[in-house]
Amino acid sequence: MAITRTLPESLQNAIERGELSQEQLRELISIEASTLGLSTDDAISLARKRRLPKTYIGADLELLVRLLPA
Amino acid sequence: MPIEGRTLWEACHNFCDYLNRVLATTVKETRLVPIGPRNATRLQVAFRGGGGRLPAALLRTRFGPMALYIGQLCETIQLGDARQRLVTVEYRYTLTPGDLDEAAQHEPLLRWEYVREPEGGGRWCRHHLQGAVQLEVGREAVSLNDLHLPTGYVTIEEVLRFCIVDLGVDPQSARWHEILEESYERFKTGFAPRGYI
């Protein structure tokens, strides 16, 4: 299945600036989670246990989740 | 010269600017970008240039297309003179055969990882290599994904060198070897605060 290649423009702009709000960070996590067929909450839970699929998306998600408040 | 700044953000931007110059003159002109919440005490660095939702760089190797993922979590340590020095607290470097879409669905062939402080009492090697590689261990078939092969701290420079020398990626400049050598030496002598990796 082809993956949608671009992020929403508002999120792209935030990433260009670097500073994301908590909502934008969760939005990015949600987008990557959906790529893995996971809900946001499931992805966060699995990331904290280091049990995400071992794809590069999973690797990126694990690091992104570590930016969330504990 | 260590990577420093007045703030975590400044140090991280300096780090990415530096790495992007190395990347553009060796393997690929795809930008690493720091992101994180505004008052973050740590930031993430990964390929996010160009608005794409796939945080990887596509390489043309002698084995076909391959997705390179470089990700780090960075914090800073406070220096006495109101400056902060960057430290890497986690990294993930992966190489996955296929174009970016295809590679996003499959386990990487090779995955270098470092976790400064494993949670939950994990006692595996903090710097390790895993991957979708089958090994024969005695009479058993074991996946490298089920082991934590110790590696020592693997630098981005060494991964880029692997891409050029072993995977056959065409280097972006004739000085790629010198650039990686110089960058590696800078890391060894300046970037890595002793006791933090």
PDB file of all heavy atoms in Angstrom, chain B residues 94-107:
ATOM      1  N   THR B  94      19.483   2.789  10.801  1.00  0.00           N
ATOM      2  CA  THR B  94      19.003   1.572  10.139  1.00  0.00           C
ATOM      3  C   THR B  94      19.230   1.643   8.642  1.00  0.00           C
ATOM      4  O   THR B  94      19.225   2.735   8.053  1.00  0.00           O
ATOM      5  CB  THR B  94      17.500   1.324  10.409  1.00  0.00           C
ATOM      6  OG1 THR B  94      16.705   2.237   9.647  1.00  0.00           O
ATOM      7  CG2 THR B  94      17.155   1.458  11.878  1.00  0.00           C
ATOM      8  N   LEU B  95      19.421   0.489   8.057  1.00  0.00           N
ATOM      9  CA  LEU B  95      19.516   0.334   6.605  1.00  0.00           C
ATOM     10  C   LEU B  95      18.533  -0.744   6.194  1.00  0.00           C
ATOM     11  O   LEU B  95      18.595  -1.876   6.691  1.00  0.00           O
ATOM     12  CB  LEU B  95      20.935  -0.054   6.196  1.00  0.00           C
ATOM     13  CG  LEU B  95      21.956   1.077   6.220  1.00  0.00           C
ATOM     14  CD1 LEU B  95      23.372   0.540   6.184  1.00  0.00           C
ATOM     15  CD2 LEU B  95      21.721   2.018   5.024  1.00  0.00           C
ATOM     16  N   THR B  96      17.612  -0.373   5.290  1.00  0.00           N
ATOM     17  CA  THR B  96      16.554  -1.284   4.869  1.00  0.00           C
ATOM     18  C   THR B  96      16.498  -1.341   3.359  1.00  0.00           C
ATOM     19  O   THR B  96      16.316  -0.293   2.706  1.00  0.00           O
ATOM     20  CB  THR B  96      15.183  -0.822   5.394  1.00  0.00           C
ATOM     21  OG1 THR B  96      15.276  -0.445   6.765  1.00  0.00           O
ATOM     22  CG2 THR B  96      14.149  -1.921   5.226  1.00  0.00           C
ATOM     23  N   PRO B  97      16.652  -2.506   2.739  1.00  0.00           N
ATOM     24  CA  PRO B  97      16.526  -2.595   1.277  1.00  0.00           C
ATOM     25  C   PRO B  97      15.150  -2.171   0.806  1.00  0.00           C
ATOM     26  O   PRO B  97      14.145  -2.434   1.477  1.00  0.00           O
ATOM     27  CB  PRO B  97      16.779  -4.086   1.000  1.00  0.00           C
ATOM     28  CG  PRO B  97      17.581  -4.557   2.164  1.00  0.00           C
ATOM     29  CD  PRO B  97      17.064  -3.771   3.338  1.00  0.00           C
ATOM     30  N   GLY B  98      15.124  -1.517  -0.354  1.00  0.00           N
ATOM     31  CA  GLY B  98      13.869  -1.087  -0.947  1.00  0.00           C
ATOM     32  C   GLY B  98      13.773   0.414  -1.037  1.00  0.00           C
ATOM     33  O   GLY B  98      14.572   1.134  -0.436  1.00  0.00           O
ATOM     34  N   ASP B  99      12.775   0.887  -1.796  1.00  0.00           N
ATOM     35  CA  ASP B  99      12.554   2.327  -1.812  1.00  0.00           C
ATOM     36  C   ASP B  99      11.913   2.730  -0.471  1.00  0.00           C
ATOM     37  O   ASP B  99      11.640   1.876   0.374  1.00  0.00           O
ATOM     38  CB  ASP B  99      11.707   2.753  -3.009  1.00  0.00           C
ATOM     39  CG  ASP B  99      10.317   2.131  -3.012  1.00  0.00           C
ATOM     40  OD1 ASP B  99       9.787   1.807  -1.919  1.00  0.00           O
ATOM     41  OD2 ASP B  99       9.740   1.975  -4.093  1.00  0.00           O
ATOM     42  N   LEU B 100      11.687   4.014  -0.280  1.00  0.00           N
ATOM     43  CA  LEU B 100      11.277   4.482   1.055  1.00  0.00           C
ATOM     44  C   LEU B 100       9.944   3.870   1.492  1.00  0.00           C
ATOM     45  O   LEU B 100       9.775   3.498   2.655  1.00  0.00           O
ATOM     46  CB  LEU B 100      11.190   6.007   1.074  1.00  0.00           C
ATOM     47  CG  LEU B 100      12.513   6.764   0.896  1.00  0.00           C
ATOM     48  CD1 LEU B 100      12.319   8.256   1.130  1.00  0.00           C
ATOM     49  CD2 LEU B 100      13.602   6.218   1.798  1.00  0.00           C
ATOM     50  N   ASP B 101       8.984   3.775   0.558  1.00  0.00           N
ATOM     51  CA  ASP B 101       7.688   3.189   0.908  1.00  0.00           C
ATOM     52  C   ASP B 101       7.829   1.716   1.268  1.00  0.00           C
ATOM     53  O   ASP B 101       7.300   1.240   2.275  1.00  0.00           O
ATOM     54  CB  ASP B 101       6.718   3.322  -0.271  1.00  0.00           C
ATOM     55  CG  ASP B 101       6.175   4.733  -0.425  1.00  0.00           C
ATOM     56  OD1 ASP B 101       6.297   5.524   0.529  1.00  0.00           O
ATOM     57  OD2 ASP B 101       5.632   5.041  -1.497  1.00  0.00           O
ATOM     58  N   GLU B 102       8.531   1.006   0.413  1.00  0.00           N
ATOM     59  CA  GLU B 102       8.696  -0.437   0.628  1.00  0.00           C
ATOM     60  C   GLU B 102       9.473  -0.698   1.911  1.00  0.00           C
ATOM     61  O   GLU B 102       9.103  -1.543   2.726  1.00  0.00           O
ATOM     62  CB  GLU B 102       9.448  -1.018  -0.582  1.00  0.00           C
ATOM     63  CG  GLU B 102       9.665  -2.520  -0.530  1.00  0.00           C
ATOM     64  CD  GLU B 102      10.489  -3.004  -1.724  1.00  0.00           C
ATOM     65  OE1 GLU B 102      10.862  -2.163  -2.570  1.00  0.00           O
ATOM     66  OE2 GLU B 102      10.774  -4.211  -1.783  1.00  0.00           O
ATOM     67  N   ALA B 103      10.555   0.052   2.101  1.00  0.00           N
ATOM     68  CA  ALA B 103      11.401  -0.160   3.282  1.00  0.00           C
ATOM     69  C   ALA B 103      10.648   0.158   4.569  1.00  0.00           C
ATOM     70  O   ALA B 103      10.930  -0.434   5.611  1.00  0.00           O
ATOM     71  CB  ALA B 103      12.655   0.705   3.177  1.00  0.00           C
ATOM     72  N   ALA B 104       9.688   1.070   4.504  1.00  0.00           N
ATOM     73  CA  ALA B 104       8.926   1.438   5.702  1.00  0.00           C
ATOM     74  C   ALA B 104       8.094   0.281   6.229  1.00  0.00           C
ATOM     75  O   ALA B 104       7.648   0.300   7.375  1.00  0.00           O
ATOM     76  CB  ALA B 104       8.026   2.638   5.402  1.00  0.00           C
ATOM     77  N   GLN B 105       7.869  -0.726   5.396  1.00  0.00           N
ATOM     78  CA  GLN B 105       7.033  -1.864   5.782  1.00  0.00           C
ATOM     79  C   GLN B 105       7.836  -3.058   6.273  1.00  0.00           C
ATOM     80  O   GLN B 105       7.252  -4.064   6.700  1.00  0.00           O
ATOM     81  CB  GLN B 105       6.191  -2.317   4.574  1.00  0.00           C
ATOM     82  CG  GLN B 105       5.424  -1.219   3.881  1.00  0.00           C
ATOM     83  CD  GLN B 105       4.344  -0.636   4.751  1.00  0.00           C
ATOM     84  OE1 GLN B 105       3.682  -1.349   5.500  1.00  0.00           O
ATOM     85  NE2 GLN B 105       4.168   0.670   4.696  1.00  0.00           N
ATOM     86  N   HIS B 106       9.156  -2.988   6.178  1.00  0.00           N
ATOM     87  CA  HIS B 106       9.983  -4.150   6.480  1.00  0.00           C
ATOM     88  C   HIS B 106      11.015  -3.857   7.557  1.00  0.00           C
ATOM     89  O   HIS B 106      11.410  -2.714   7.767  1.00  0.00           O
ATOM     90  CB  HIS B 106      10.711  -4.626   5.206  1.00  0.00           C
ATOM     91  CG  HIS B 106       9.778  -5.121   4.148  1.00  0.00           C
ATOM     92  ND1 HIS B 106       9.441  -4.371   3.046  1.00  0.00           N
ATOM     93  CD2 HIS B 106       9.095  -6.282   4.035  1.00  0.00           C
ATOM     94  CE1 HIS B 106       8.589  -5.054   2.292  1.00  0.00           C
ATOM     95  NE2 HIS B 106       8.368  -6.211   2.864  1.00  0.00           N
ATOM     96  N   GLU B 107      11.430  -4.931   8.223  1.00  0.00           N
ATOM     97  CA  GLU B 107      12.483  -4.790   9.211  1.00  0.00           C
ATOM     98  C   GLU B 107      13.793  -4.444   8.517  1.00  0.00           C
ATOM     99  O   GLU B 107      14.088  -4.968   7.445  1.00  0.00           O
ATOM    100  CB  GLU B 107      12.653  -6.096   9.997  1.00  0.00           C
ATOM    101  CG  GLU B 107      11.501  -6.385  10.930  1.00  0.00           C
ATOM    102  CD  GLU B 107      11.799  -7.555  11.849  1.00  0.00           C
ATOM    103  OE1 GLU B 107      12.846  -8.196  11.671  1.00  0.00           O
ATOM    104  OE2 GLU B 107      10.977  -7.812  12.746  1.00  0.00           O
TER     105      GLU B 107
END
